[in-house]
Amino acid sequence: MLSVQGLGLHHAGNYLFKDTNFTIKKGDKIGLVGKNGAGKSTLLKILSGEIAFYEGNVIPEGNITIGFLKQDLDFVKGRTVWDETMQAFEKINALKNELEDVNHQLATRTDYESDAYSDLIHKMTDLNDLLMNHDAYNLEGDVEKILFGLGFKADDFHKITDEFSGGWRMRIELAKLLLQQNDLMLLDEPTNHLDMESIIWLEDFLKDYQGSMLLVSHDKQFMTSTCNRTFDINNKKIDDYKANYSKYLELRKDRKEKLIQAKKNQDAEIKHTEELINKFRASASKASFAQSLIKKLDKVERIEVENEDVSKFNIRFQPGITPGKVIFEAQNLGKAYGNKQIFDHVDFFVERGDRIALLGQNGQGKTTLAKILAGDITDYSGTWNLGHNVNIGYFAQNQEEVLTPDKTVLQEAEDSATEETRPRVRDLLGSFLFTGDDVTKKTKVLSGGERNRLALCKLLLRPFNTLIMDEPTNHLDIQSKEIIKLALQKFEGTLIVISHDREFLQGLTDKIFEFRDGKMKEFLGTIDEYLEYRQKESIREISAEKAKLHQEEVPEAKVKAPEQMKPQESNIIVSKEQKSIQNKIKKVEEKISELELKIEAFESSFTKENPSEQVLESYNKTKEELDLTLQEWEFLGTQLEI
C-alpha cells in the first residue's frame, strides 16, 4: 500500500531519521511509539505530504487515499455541526451539486429532441449510478452514528460550530476523518480531547475499520486494543514488531537484552581501540597506524540503550499531618456560568483515605468541582466544608497559568521545596527526566509534557495529605505516566483524580463520582466495574437520542395535533412507527439467534478439548455482545409498548 525507502531527515543539525525503511500493507493497524522528540508526529506529516523536504522516497501504491487528523482547524464560520461534518464527503457533495445542475437544465430546457438534451439525460443517469455506488443517499445514518459515538447530542447537530470549544471542534474534525473511509488513516493523539466513553467507542470503531492506520498515542490500552503492529522509533531508525503494544513490550524486552550485550561488547572493543591509540600515538613509527584507528573509531555507530525502567525511581509524596476522618462534605452544591448551569444539587462525603475518580463528558463540571475544592472558585451555590487538618495539593489542568514564565525549571522547583526537601530537588527533577541543561530552561519555553512533569515534581516537594489531580497525564509520555502512577499508588493520603486514561486509573481508585446531565452520581467500585456498568447504559442512551433526533425531523407543518386527526390518520402514523420498530426487533432477534448458535458451538468444542486463551477471549466477547443485544431487544420492546 505504501513503501518508505531510505528516509532521512535533518532536524536542528542532527538526523531525526536516517536510512529508514518500512512498508505499510493493507489492513495494517500500526502503533507508533518512541520517546518525546523521536519524530513520531514528524513522520505522520511526511507521510501525509505536509513535509516535503526529506531524503529517500515515500511511494504510495496506486491511487490510495490518505487521511490525516490535523491539529489546526479551518472551519467556515456559521456552519452547523451537521453541515461541517457533511464536508467529509467532498467528492460526493461535488457529484450532488453536478447532478442538481443537470436536473435544473433538464427542467428548464425545451430542446427535448436535441443531442445535447440526450447527453444531459445520460449524464444524469451516470451521476445517479456514481452516487448509488458511493451509497450517497444513506450517509445520514453514518453521520449520526459517528457524532453520537463521539459524544454529541441530537440537540447539538444544528448548533453553530463557533459555539463549541476547541476540544469539541476537534471531535468534529475526527468525525469527518472517520467518515471518509480513507485507505490509510494517520492519527496523532486522537484521544486527547475525548472523554472515556468516546475513547471506548472510537476504540471499537477502529477495530472494525477496513483501511490501514498509523497511530500515535500515549494511551497503552487504546493502542493494545486497536493495533496489530508496532513501530518503535529509536536511534534514528524504526524497529518493526508484528505485534500489538502489549506483546511488543515483551518482544522489546528480549531485543533490549541482546542490545545491552552488544553494547557491552562494543564498549570493550572501543576501550581496547582507545588503549591502542594512546599506546601508539607518541611513537613516530606507529603514528599513522594510530591515526587510522582514530578514523575507524570516529566511524563507529555507537549503540545506545534507552533506560525506560521506572521501578528504579523510588518517588514518594511527602507525608503530611494526619487529617480528621472527614476530608470534604458538600450539600446542595451547584455552579453556573451566566445562564448555563454546569451542575446543581450535588451532595457528597469524602473520607480520609478515599481514592476517587471524577468521570463524565467534557464540560459536565469535573474541573469546576476540582477548582471549588482547591479554593480557586469561590462563587457557587450550596455549601461545602473542609475537614480538620486537611492540606491540599492541587494539580491544575492548565499549567501555563500556574508556572512563572521567567523562572527556570530549577528555580520553580526550589521555590516549592521545604528545608527538608531542598537537597532532593535536583534528584527529583532528574527522575522527571530533567537532566543536564534542561534545568536551566525558562518555564515559558517548555512543552506541554515538560510543564506537566515540572508541576508534578513540585507536588512531591511539599507535604500534603490530600491530592486533587486534574488530568495529570495530559501530554505525558508512557514512561512519565508510569512514574507518576507508581508515586500515587504509594501515596497514603486522600486522592481525587480526573482522568480519561483507563489504564492509569486501574489499581489507583476504588470509587467513582460520575458527572452527567448536570448531576453527580456516586459509584462504588473500580474503573473496570464502572465501565462494565456504563457499557450497558450507553445502548439505551444512544437509542433514545436517535429516537429524539428522528422525531424532531418530522416537519411540523405536516403533523396535525391529535384532536385534529381523523381516527384512521392516527392509526396510519402509529402503524408506521410500529412497523419500523418491529423491523428493528426482527433484525435484533436474528442477531440474537446467531450469537446463541456461536456460543453453543464454543461450548460444544469445550467438551472435546481445553480452549486456548484466544478462543476463551472470543467466547467471552460473544457472550458480552449477546448481553448487549438482549438489552437492545428489551429497549425496542418498551418502545413498541409506548
Short mmCIF file of all heavy atoms in Angstrom, two decimals, residues 470-519:
data_model
loop_
_atom_site.label_atom_id
_atom_site.label_comp_id
_atom_site.label_asym_id
_atom_site.label_seq_id
_atom_site.Cartn_x
_atom_site.Cartn_y
_atom_site.Cartn_z
N ASP A 470 -6.05 17.11 38.28
CA ASP A 470 -6.90 17.33 37.11
C ASP A 470 -6.11 16.99 35.85
O ASP A 470 -5.24 17.75 35.42
CB ASP A 470 -7.37 18.78 37.08
CG ASP A 470 -8.45 19.03 36.03
OD1 ASP A 470 -8.78 18.08 35.28
OD2 ASP A 470 -8.96 20.15 35.95
N GLU A 471 -6.40 15.85 35.25
CA GLU A 471 -5.73 15.36 34.03
C GLU A 471 -4.20 15.39 34.18
O GLU A 471 -3.50 16.01 33.37
CB GLU A 471 -6.15 16.21 32.82
CG GLU A 471 -7.62 16.12 32.49
CD GLU A 471 -8.02 14.83 31.80
OE1 GLU A 471 -7.16 13.93 31.69
OE2 GLU A 471 -9.17 14.72 31.39
N PRO A 472 -3.65 14.71 35.17
CA PRO A 472 -2.19 14.76 35.38
C PRO A 472 -1.39 14.09 34.27
O PRO A 472 -0.20 14.36 34.15
CB PRO A 472 -2.00 14.00 36.71
CG PRO A 472 -3.17 13.08 36.79
CD PRO A 472 -4.31 13.83 36.17
N THR A 473 -2.02 13.23 33.46
CA THR A 473 -1.26 12.51 32.43
C THR A 473 -1.31 13.19 31.07
O THR A 473 -0.72 12.69 30.11
CB THR A 473 -1.79 11.07 32.27
OG1 THR A 473 -3.14 11.09 31.83
CG2 THR A 473 -1.69 10.31 33.59
N ASN A 474 -2.03 14.33 30.96
CA ASN A 474 -2.07 15.03 29.67
C ASN A 474 -0.67 15.39 29.20
O ASN A 474 0.14 15.93 29.95
CB ASN A 474 -2.90 16.32 29.79
CG ASN A 474 -4.34 16.10 29.37
OD1 ASN A 474 -4.74 14.97 29.10
ND2 ASN A 474 -5.11 17.16 29.30
N HIS A 475 -0.38 15.10 27.95
CA HIS A 475 0.90 15.43 27.30
C HIS A 475 2.08 14.59 27.82
O HIS A 475 3.21 14.81 27.38
CB HIS A 475 1.26 16.92 27.46
CG HIS A 475 0.17 17.86 27.06
ND1 HIS A 475 -0.26 17.97 25.76
CD2 HIS A 475 -0.59 18.71 27.79
CE1 HIS A 475 -1.23 18.87 25.70
NE2 HIS A 475 -1.45 19.34 26.91
N LEU A 476 1.85 13.68 28.75
CA LEU A 476 2.96 12.88 29.28
C LEU A 476 3.20 11.66 28.40
O LEU A 476 2.26 11.05 27.90
CB LEU A 476 2.66 12.40 30.70
CG LEU A 476 2.60 13.45 31.82
CD1 LEU A 476 2.50 12.75 33.16
CD2 LEU A 476 3.80 14.38 31.79
N ASP A 477 4.48 11.31 28.23
CA ASP A 477 4.77 10.06 27.52
C ASP A 477 4.51 8.88 28.46
O ASP A 477 4.23 9.05 29.65
CB ASP A 477 6.20 10.05 26.98
CG ASP A 477 7.24 10.25 28.08
OD1 ASP A 477 6.93 9.94 29.25
OD2 ASP A 477 8.35 10.70 27.77
N ILE A 478 4.60 7.69 27.91
CA ILE A 478 4.23 6.50 28.67
C ILE A 478 5.12 6.31 29.90
O ILE A 478 4.65 5.97 30.99
CB ILE A 478 4.27 5.26 27.75
CG1 ILE A 478 3.09 5.33 26.77
CG2 ILE A 478 4.20 3.96 28.56
CD1 ILE A 478 3.12 4.32 25.66
N GLN A 479 6.42 6.56 29.76
CA GLN A 479 7.33 6.39 30.88
C GLN A 479 6.98 7.35 32.02
O GLN A 479 6.94 6.97 33.20
CB GLN A 479 8.77 6.60 30.44
CG GLN A 479 9.78 6.34 31.56
CD GLN A 479 11.22 6.61 31.13
OE1 GLN A 479 11.45 7.15 30.05
NE2 GLN A 479 12.17 6.21 31.94
N SER A 480 6.71 8.61 31.69
CA SER A 480 6.37 9.60 32.72
C SER A 480 5.07 9.25 33.42
O SER A 480 4.92 9.44 34.63
CB SER A 480 6.26 11.00 32.08
OG SER A 480 7.49 11.39 31.50
N LYS A 481 4.10 8.72 32.65
CA LYS A 481 2.83 8.30 33.27
C LYS A 481 3.06 7.18 34.27
O LYS A 481 2.43 7.15 35.34
CB LYS A 481 1.85 7.84 32.18
CG LYS A 481 1.24 8.98 31.40
CD LYS A 481 -0.08 8.58 30.77
CE LYS A 481 0.07 7.54 29.71
NZ LYS A 481 -1.20 7.29 29.01
N GLU A 482 3.94 6.25 33.93
CA GLU A 482 4.21 5.14 34.84
C GLU A 482 4.89 5.63 36.12
O GLU A 482 4.62 5.14 37.22
CB GLU A 482 5.08 4.10 34.14
CG GLU A 482 4.32 3.33 33.05
CD GLU A 482 5.20 2.38 32.28
OE1 GLU A 482 6.44 2.42 32.48
OE2 GLU A 482 4.67 1.60 31.48
N ILE A 483 5.76 6.64 35.98
CA ILE A 483 6.45 7.20 37.15
C ILE A 483 5.44 7.81 38.12
O ILE A 483 5.46 7.54 39.32
CB ILE A 483 7.48 8.27 36.71
CG1 ILE A 483 8.66 7.61 35.98
CG2 ILE A 483 8.00 9.05 37.92
CD1 ILE A 483 9.60 8.61 35.32
N ILE A 484 4.52 8.64 37.59
CA ILE A 484 3.58 9.32 38.48
C ILE A 484 2.55 8.34 39.03
O ILE A 484 2.09 8.46 40.17
CB ILE A 484 2.90 10.52 37.77
CG1 ILE A 484 2.15 11.38 38.78
CG2 ILE A 484 1.97 10.07 36.66
CD1 ILE A 484 3.01 11.95 39.88
N LYS A 485 2.19 7.32 38.25
CA LYS A 485 1.23 6.32 38.76
C LYS A 485 1.83 5.55 39.95
O LYS A 485 1.15 5.32 40.95
CB LYS A 485 0.80 5.36 37.66
CG LYS A 485 -0.22 4.34 38.13
CD LYS A 485 -0.76 3.47 37.02
CE LYS A 485 -1.77 2.46 37.55
NZ LYS A 485 -2.37 1.63 36.49
N LEU A 486 3.10 5.18 39.82
CA LEU A 486 3.76 4.48 40.93
C LEU A 486 3.77 5.34 42.19
O LEU A 486 3.53 4.85 43.30
CB LEU A 486 5.19 4.12 40.53
CG LEU A 486 5.37 2.88 39.64
CD1 LEU A 486 6.83 2.76 39.20
CD2 LEU A 486 4.95 1.61 40.39
N ALA A 487 4.05 6.64 42.01
CA ALA A 487 4.09 7.54 43.17
C ALA A 487 2.70 7.68 43.80
O ALA A 487 2.57 7.69 45.03
CB ALA A 487 4.62 8.91 42.75
N LEU A 488 1.66 7.77 42.98
CA LEU A 488 0.30 7.91 43.51
C LEU A 488 -0.17 6.63 44.19
O LEU A 488 -0.94 6.67 45.15
CB LEU A 488 -0.67 8.30 42.38
CG LEU A 488 -0.54 9.74 41.87
CD1 LEU A 488 -1.41 9.97 40.65
CD2 LEU A 488 -0.91 10.74 42.97
N GLN A 489 0.27 5.48 43.69
CA GLN A 489 -0.10 4.21 44.33
C GLN A 489 0.51 4.11 45.73
O GLN A 489 -0.08 3.51 46.63
CB GLN A 489 0.34 3.03 43.46
CG GLN A 489 -0.55 2.81 42.24
CD GLN A 489 -0.04 1.72 41.33
OE1 GLN A 489 1.17 1.53 41.18
NE2 GLN A 489 -0.94 1.01 40.68
N LYS A 490 1.68 4.72 45.90
CA LYS A 490 2.34 4.71 47.22
C LYS A 490 1.77 5.78 48.16
O LYS A 490 2.00 5.72 49.37
CB LYS A 490 3.84 4.94 47.06
CG LYS A 490 4.57 3.85 46.27
CD LYS A 490 6.01 4.30 46.00
CE LYS A 490 6.73 3.37 45.04
NZ LYS A 490 8.06 3.90 44.65
N PHE A 491 1.07 6.76 47.60
CA PHE A 491 0.54 7.87 48.40
C PHE A 491 -0.49 7.35 49.40
O PHE A 491 -1.43 6.65 49.03
CB PHE A 491 -0.08 8.91 47.46
CG PHE A 491 -0.69 10.08 48.17
CD1 PHE A 491 0.07 10.91 48.98
CD2 PHE A 491 -2.05 10.37 48.00
CE1 PHE A 491 -0.49 11.99 49.62
CE2 PHE A 491 -2.62 11.46 48.63
CZ PHE A 491 -1.84 12.27 49.44
N GLU A 492 -0.33 7.70 50.66
CA GLU A 492 -1.19 7.15 51.72
C GLU A 492 -2.34 8.08 52.09
O GLU A 492 -3.16 7.73 52.94
CB GLU A 492 -0.34 6.86 52.97
CG GLU A 492 0.71 5.77 52.73
CD GLU A 492 1.61 5.54 53.94
OE1 GLU A 492 1.45 6.30 54.92
OE2 GLU A 492 2.44 4.62 53.90
N GLY A 493 -2.42 9.23 51.44
CA GLY A 493 -3.48 10.17 51.77
C GLY A 493 -4.73 9.95 50.92
O GLY A 493 -4.98 8.87 50.39
N THR A 494 -5.53 11.03 50.82
CA THR A 494 -6.79 11.01 50.05
C THR A 494 -6.51 11.51 48.64
O THR A 494 -5.82 12.52 48.46
CB THR A 494 -7.83 11.90 50.73
OG1 THR A 494 -8.00 11.46 52.09
CG2 THR A 494 -9.16 11.85 50.01
N LEU A 495 -7.06 10.82 47.65
CA LEU A 495 -6.79 11.15 46.25
C LEU A 495 -8.10 11.38 45.50
O LEU A 495 -9.00 10.56 45.54
CB LEU A 495 -6.01 10.02 45.58
CG LEU A 495 -5.76 10.16 44.06
CD1 LEU A 495 -4.86 11.36 43.78
CD2 LEU A 495 -5.14 8.88 43.50
N ILE A 496 -8.18 12.52 44.80
CA ILE A 496 -9.28 12.80 43.87
C ILE A 496 -8.63 13.11 42.53
O ILE A 496 -7.83 14.05 42.42
CB ILE A 496 -10.14 14.00 44.34
CG1 ILE A 496 -10.79 13.68 45.69
CG2 ILE A 496 -11.20 14.34 43.32
CD1 ILE A 496 -11.57 14.83 46.29
N VAL A 497 -8.95 12.32 41.50
CA VAL A 497 -8.25 12.46 40.23
C VAL A 497 -9.25 12.49 39.07
O VAL A 497 -10.22 11.73 39.04
CB VAL A 497 -7.23 11.31 40.03
CG1 VAL A 497 -7.90 9.95 40.07
CG2 VAL A 497 -6.44 11.48 38.74
N ILE A 498 -9.01 13.41 38.15
CA ILE A 498 -9.76 13.48 36.89
C ILE A 498 -8.86 12.91 35.80
O ILE A 498 -7.73 13.38 35.60
CB ILE A 498 -10.14 14.93 36.53
CG1 ILE A 498 -10.98 15.56 37.64
CG2 ILE A 498 -10.88 14.98 35.20
CD1 ILE A 498 -11.20 17.05 37.46
N SER A 499 -9.34 11.89 35.11
CA SER A 499 -8.54 11.30 34.03
C SER A 499 -9.46 10.50 33.11
O SER A 499 -10.46 9.93 33.55
CB SER A 499 -7.45 10.39 34.60
OG SER A 499 -6.73 9.78 33.55
N HIS A 500 -9.09 10.48 31.81
CA HIS A 500 -9.81 9.65 30.84
C HIS A 500 -8.97 8.43 30.45
O HIS A 500 -9.33 7.72 29.51
CB HIS A 500 -10.15 10.47 29.60
CG HIS A 500 -11.03 11.65 29.88
ND1 HIS A 500 -12.22 11.53 30.57
CD2 HIS A 500 -10.92 12.97 29.55
CE1 HIS A 500 -12.79 12.72 30.67
NE2 HIS A 500 -12.02 13.60 30.06
N ASP A 501 -7.87 8.23 31.14
CA ASP A 501 -6.96 7.14 30.81
C ASP A 501 -7.30 5.92 31.68
O ASP A 501 -7.01 5.90 32.88
CB ASP A 501 -5.51 7.59 31.07
CG ASP A 501 -4.48 6.60 30.53
OD1 ASP A 501 -4.71 5.38 30.65
OD2 ASP A 501 -3.45 7.04 30.00
N ARG A 502 -7.92 4.90 31.07
CA ARG A 502 -8.39 3.74 31.84
C ARG A 502 -7.23 3.01 32.51
O ARG A 502 -7.30 2.64 33.68
CB ARG A 502 -9.11 2.76 30.90
CG ARG A 502 -10.43 3.26 30.38
CD ARG A 502 -10.83 2.51 29.13
NE ARG A 502 -9.97 2.86 28.02
CZ ARG A 502 -9.95 2.23 26.86
NH1 ARG A 502 -10.73 1.19 26.67
NH2 ARG A 502 -9.16 2.62 25.88
N GLU A 503 -6.15 2.79 31.76
CA GLU A 503 -5.02 2.04 32.30
C GLU A 503 -4.42 2.78 33.49
O GLU A 503 -4.02 2.17 34.48
CB GLU A 503 -3.97 1.81 31.21
CG GLU A 503 -2.88 0.83 31.55
CD GLU A 503 -1.74 1.46 32.33
OE1 GLU A 503 -1.54 2.70 32.20
OE2 GLU A 503 -1.05 0.72 33.05
N PHE A 504 -4.36 4.10 33.43
CA PHE A 504 -3.81 4.90 34.52
C PHE A 504 -4.67 4.75 35.78
O PHE A 504 -4.14 4.67 36.90
CB PHE A 504 -3.75 6.37 34.09
CG PHE A 504 -3.20 7.30 35.14
CD1 PHE A 504 -1.86 7.32 35.44
CD2 PHE A 504 -4.05 8.15 35.83
CE1 PHE A 504 -1.35 8.17 36.42
CE2 PHE A 504 -3.56 9.01 36.80
CZ PHE A 504 -2.21 9.01 37.09
N LEU A 505 -5.99 4.68 35.62
CA LEU A 505 -6.89 4.60 36.77
C LEU A 505 -6.97 3.20 37.37
O LEU A 505 -7.39 3.05 38.52
CB LEU A 505 -8.30 5.07 36.37
CG LEU A 505 -8.45 6.56 36.05
CD1 LEU A 505 -9.86 6.85 35.56
CD2 LEU A 505 -8.13 7.43 37.26
N GLN A 506 -6.60 2.18 36.59
CA GLN A 506 -6.67 0.81 37.10
C GLN A 506 -5.71 0.64 38.28
O GLN A 506 -4.53 0.94 38.19
CB GLN A 506 -6.33 -0.19 35.99
CG GLN A 506 -7.45 -0.35 34.98
CD GLN A 506 -7.02 -1.12 33.75
OE1 GLN A 506 -5.84 -1.36 33.52
NE2 GLN A 506 -7.98 -1.50 32.92
N GLY A 507 -6.24 0.16 39.40
CA GLY A 507 -5.42 -0.03 40.59
C GLY A 507 -5.13 1.25 41.34
O GLY A 507 -4.34 1.25 42.29
N LEU A 508 -5.75 2.36 40.93
CA LEU A 508 -5.47 3.66 41.55
C LEU A 508 -6.66 4.19 42.34
O LEU A 508 -6.49 4.86 43.35
CB LEU A 508 -5.07 4.66 40.47
CG LEU A 508 -4.34 5.93 40.91
CD1 LEU A 508 -3.04 5.60 41.61
CD2 LEU A 508 -4.08 6.83 39.71
N THR A 509 -7.90 3.91 41.87
CA THR A 509 -9.09 4.41 42.54
C THR A 509 -10.07 3.26 42.79
O THR A 509 -10.03 2.24 42.11
CB THR A 509 -9.80 5.49 41.69
OG1 THR A 509 -10.21 4.92 40.44
CG2 THR A 509 -8.87 6.66 41.42
N ASP A 510 -10.96 3.46 43.77
CA ASP A 510 -11.96 2.44 44.06
C ASP A 510 -13.36 3.04 44.25
O ASP A 510 -14.27 2.40 44.75
CB ASP A 510 -11.58 1.64 45.31
CG ASP A 510 -11.24 2.53 46.51
OD1 ASP A 510 -11.69 3.69 46.52
OD2 ASP A 510 -10.53 2.06 47.41
N LYS A 511 -13.50 4.29 43.84
CA LYS A 511 -14.80 4.96 43.91
C LYS A 511 -14.90 5.94 42.75
O LYS A 511 -13.90 6.56 42.36
CB LYS A 511 -14.95 5.70 45.25
CG LYS A 511 -16.33 6.29 45.50
CD LYS A 511 -16.37 7.11 46.78
CE LYS A 511 -16.26 6.24 48.02
NZ LYS A 511 -16.47 7.03 49.27
N ILE A 512 -16.10 6.09 42.17
CA ILE A 512 -16.32 6.97 41.03
C ILE A 512 -17.36 8.01 41.38
O ILE A 512 -18.42 7.69 41.93
CB ILE A 512 -16.82 6.18 39.79
CG1 ILE A 512 -15.94 4.94 39.50
CG2 ILE A 512 -16.92 7.10 38.57
CD1 ILE A 512 -14.56 5.22 39.05
N PHE A 513 -17.09 9.29 41.07
CA PHE A 513 -18.11 10.33 41.04
C PHE A 513 -18.38 10.61 39.56
O PHE A 513 -17.53 11.16 38.86
CB PHE A 513 -17.63 11.61 41.72
CG PHE A 513 -17.62 11.55 43.23
CD1 PHE A 513 -17.15 12.63 43.98
CD2 PHE A 513 -18.08 10.44 43.91
CE1 PHE A 513 -17.13 12.59 45.37
CE2 PHE A 513 -18.07 10.38 45.30
CZ PHE A 513 -17.60 11.46 46.03
N GLU A 514 -19.57 10.23 39.09
CA GLU A 514 -19.91 10.39 37.68
C GLU A 514 -20.73 11.66 37.48
O GLU A 514 -21.76 11.86 38.11
CB GLU A 514 -20.71 9.19 37.18
CG GLU A 514 -21.10 9.30 35.71
CD GLU A 514 -22.17 8.31 35.31
OE1 GLU A 514 -23.22 8.26 35.99
OE2 GLU A 514 -21.97 7.59 34.33
N PHE A 515 -20.27 12.53 36.55
CA PHE A 515 -20.98 13.76 36.21
C PHE A 515 -21.74 13.54 34.90
O PHE A 515 -21.14 13.18 33.89
CB PHE A 515 -19.99 14.92 36.04
CG PHE A 515 -19.40 15.40 37.33
CD1 PHE A 515 -18.40 14.68 37.97
CD2 PHE A 515 -19.86 16.57 37.92
CE1 PHE A 515 -17.86 15.12 39.16
CE2 PHE A 515 -19.32 17.02 39.12
CZ PHE A 515 -18.31 16.29 39.74
N ARG A 516 -23.06 13.78 34.94
CA ARG A 516 -23.88 13.55 33.75
C ARG A 516 -25.17 14.38 33.86
O ARG A 516 -25.86 14.33 34.88
CB ARG A 516 -24.21 12.07 33.63
CG ARG A 516 -24.96 11.68 32.37
CD ARG A 516 -25.09 10.17 32.29
NE ARG A 516 -23.79 9.57 32.16
CZ ARG A 516 -23.16 9.38 31.01
NH1 ARG A 516 -23.74 9.75 29.89
NH2 ARG A 516 -21.97 8.83 30.96
N ASP A 517 -25.43 15.15 32.81
CA ASP A 517 -26.68 15.93 32.72
C ASP A 517 -26.89 16.83 33.94
O ASP A 517 -27.99 16.92 34.49
CB ASP A 517 -27.88 15.00 32.55
CG ASP A 517 -27.78 14.16 31.29
OD1 ASP A 517 -27.25 14.68 30.29
OD2 ASP A 517 -28.22 13.00 31.30
N GLY A 518 -25.81 17.49 34.39
CA GLY A 518 -25.92 18.47 35.47
C GLY A 518 -26.01 17.89 36.85
O GLY A 518 -26.21 18.62 37.82
N LYS A 519 -25.88 16.57 36.98
CA LYS A 519 -25.96 15.92 38.28
C LYS A 519 -24.69 15.11 38.52
O LYS A 519 -23.89 14.89 37.63
CB LYS A 519 -27.18 14.99 38.36
CG LYS A 519 -28.51 15.65 38.03
CD LYS A 519 -28.84 16.76 39.01
CE LYS A 519 -30.15 17.46 38.65
NZ LYS A 519 -30.39 18.65 39.48
#
